Amino acid sequence: MATITRRVWFTPTAGALSNLVIKEEQLSPPAADEVRVKVHSIGLNFADVFSVLGLYEAAPKTNLVPGLEFAGVVETPGGGFKVGDRVLGTVRFGAYASHLNVNPLYLRHSPNGWSFEEAASFLIQSLTAIYAIRELAALKPGSTVLVQSAAGGVGLQALRILEAIPNVSVLGVVGSPNKLKFLNDTFPPAKNNDDPNAKRKNWRFISRAATGPEFEAQMSDYISSHPTLTGFDLILDSVAGSYFHPMYAAMNSAGRHVIFGAASLAPATLDLTPRLSALSPVNLFRAIKLGYKYAMRPRIDPMKLMGDNKAVMGFNLIWLYDKAELLSGLYGELERLNLKPPHVGHRFDFEEMPAALALFQSGTTVGKVVINVKHDN
Ligand SMILES: NC(=O)c1ccc[n+]([C@@H]2O[C@H](COP(=O)([O-])OP(=O)(O)OC[C@H]3O[C@@H](n4cnc5c(N)ncnc54)[C@H](OP(=O)(O)O)[C@@H]3O)[C@@H](O)[C@H]2O)c1
């Protein structure tokens, strides 16, 4: 197979979305343990924004092609895939590209009937949700679960997985009331919680109060107004910040608080540059605010965990990338659940990548943000 020319989005130095440039480069023939994939859709993840801004520990700070997941068509055979197979896959950065050479260990056949957009939306968020729910929390039927950012990509996949576990009660929390209708339409809570055949019994969606102390009061009102509820057995926390302690307080004894994101610390518009002196006054203010929030981030005393009989756990899927067997086992579980295709909320062309990332960074999205790559042949 010949070397080809491909298009990539690339950042020479991390620090600002405006550092991203589109360029053409040569892609060598795939190595013996790789197959080539023509990429049709790319799924955006929060980590992409963090990596471009230079705030993501796992990402290189220079010469980065961001991107963690994609869907496309196999162009060279290998690892059980043949030319023309529709696949979805993950990479440890580098997915913002028109073509990829990838190890087939990280590829899967796309489920029948799914579009490229849906396939590119599935892996990272579903693996995140199932790792938290099954592997870390080992959630049992009948549990109560609080899901933060329930209308986001991970949140929606978590709800789909929780639906499949019998009698799980859910409180889905979102940052804005605009997202509630979508959730209530997509996951209508049971009308009669006493009906033994009803689905989604004791499911509720609420909009998060604006500050940590207000959220604490909101949680305590919520629990006291539901006589059968003592608190939550599992908290899926991707927001953290000043909301962390109120969530921890709302957890039942023997509960698990799984933290996998810190969206409340995410700068909604900030572009960082290498030197503080080069920042505009507005960005300097935002950088100081970010620094303050970071300095004030929640802390927990391990001795208190014993006294409270509660567990706090954290993870980042990126560190599991080398554990192909574990990921493959989790993927098998997802396949057995036979989940519906993910909700694609926002679509952009490959050339519109900066606009897509800016929208994603705003925190106003519902469902997945997807990039489509057009090819001449
Ligand atoms: N550890 C891991 O391996 C892993 C893997 C994938 C994702 N994650 C994390 O999981 C979270 C959800 O990821 P996702 O890919 O599914 O994204 P997403 O949910 O589509 O979007 C993130 C959500 O975060 C909330 N948010 C709160 N404050 C925000 C702010 N200042 N700026 C932007 N968003 C804000 C928004 O929802 P509400 O305002 O409605 O809450 C937004 O919809 C992110 O924090 C991400 O870093 C972690």
Side-chain angles (χ1 to χ4, degrees):
M1 173 160 238
T3 293
I4 58 163
T5 301
R6 70 170 184 172
R7 284 169 292 147
V8 296
W9 278 99
F10 161 85
T11 174
T13 323
L17 292 187
S18 52
N19 289 357
L20 269 176
V21 288
I22 193 167
K23 68 169 190 177
E24 288 195 343
E25 64 175 26
Q26 299 297 294
L27 180 65
S28 322
D33 61 351
E34 289 177 330
V35 299
R36 177 169 295 164
V37 175
K38 184 193 268 188
V39 175
H40 285 263
S41 295
I42 300 160
L44 296 199
N45 285 284
F46 223 73
D48 302 352
V49 174
F50 275 101
S51 61
V52 174
L53 292 179
L55 299 172
Y56 194 36
E57 195 192 334
K61 301 287 178 281
T62 54
N63 299 328
L64 170 73
V65 175
L68 301 174
E69 64 185 326
F70 59 89
V73 172
V74 170
E75 291 196 318
T76 62
F81 297 93
K82 55 185 194 317
V83 175
D85 281 355
R86 287 171 77 115
V87 290
L88 56 162
T90 57
V91 280
R92 202 175 185 282
F93 307 108
Y96 287 8
S98 62
H99 299 78
L100 290 166
N101 291 337
V102 286
N103 186 320
L105 275 179
Y106 298 97
L107 286 181
R108 295 282 162 176
H109 284 104
S110 185
N112 274 342
W114 285 24
S115 66
F116 287 121
E117 291 179 347
E118 290 165 338
S121 303
F122 186 67
L123 276 178
I124 297 290
Q125 291 165 335
S126 309
L127 286 170
T128 303
I130 200 148
Y131 183 71
I133 294 169
R134 291 285 203 201
E135 193 78 11
L136 292 186
L139 193 76
K140 296 189 179 60
S143 301
T144 53
V145 184
L146 186 155
V147 182
Q148 281 287 5
S149 298
V154 177
L156 291 174
Q157 289 313 98
L159 295 180
R160 291 193 199 288
I161 293 166
L162 293 171
E163 261 187 318
I165 305 176
N167 291 323
V168 168
S169 308
V170 168
L171 177 65
V173 183
V174 287
S176 138
N178 305 339
K179 301 180 182 179
L180 293 175
K181 182 174 183 320
F182 170 78
L183 283 175
N184 282 310
D185 290 349
T186 314
F187 298 94
K191 290 200 170 66
N192 176 4
N193 289 323
D194 297 326
D195 174 355
N197 298 319
K199 280 183 169 177
R200 296 177 289 274
K201 284 196 267 186
N202 297 306
W203 279 46
R204 291 281 176 280
F205 300 110
I206 61 167
S207 166
R208 196 169 51 238
T211 65
E214 286 169 316
F215 181 65
E216 182 152 24
Q218 190 182 20
M219 283 298 93
S220 125
D221 288 350
Y222 184 82
I223 292 169
S224 55
S225 64
H226 290 80
T228 54
L229 185 69
T230 51
F232 299 96
D233 302 313
L234 169 62
I235 291 177
L236 294 178
D237 181 5
S238 57
V239 172
S242 60
Y243 302 102
F244 175 85
H245 283 293
M247 283 187 271
Y248 178 88
M251 190 167 35
N252 283 328
S253 171
R256 294 164 192 207
H257 185 150
V258 181
I259 176 158
F260 53 92
S264 67
L265 293 180
T269 49
L270 178 62
D271 265 358
L272 298 170
T273 59
R275 285 175 300 114
L276 273 182
S277 58
L279 288 173
S280 68
V282 172
N283 269 343
L284 182 61
F285 173 73
R286 288 180 182 143
I288 292 169
K289 200 168 148 196
L290 176 64
Y292 176 78
K293 278 188 179 179
Y294 185 73
M296 300 304 287
R297 70 193 181 279
R299 291 179 165 79
I300 189 116
D301 173 3
M303 306 302 284
K304 188 170 155 53
L305 297 178
M306 284 194 287
D308 292 347
N309 195 30
K310 295 179 178 183
V312 176
M313 310 172 177
F315 73 96
N316 188 342
L317 215 55
I318 204 98
W319 305 125
L320 299 178
Y321 196 76
D322 295 336
K323 301 194 184 299
E325 244 176 59
L326 170 71
L327 290 180
S328 161
L330 291 172
Y331 188 78
E333 276 207 52
L334 288 170
E335 279 178 326
R336 282 189 290 283
L337 288 174
N338 201 13
L339 301 175
K340 284 187 196 158
H343 175 72
V344 177
H346 312 265
R347 301 166 167 80
F348 290 84
D349 288 341
F350 190 64
E351 291 67 26
E352 299 174 309
M353 186 68 80
L357 284 169
L359 174 73
F360 197 73
Q361 196 184 12
S362 74
T364 57
T365 58
V366 169
K368 190 78 175 181
V369 183
V370 170
I371 301 293
N372 288 316
V373 189
K374 293 199 182 79
H375 295 275
D376 293 335
N377 51 40

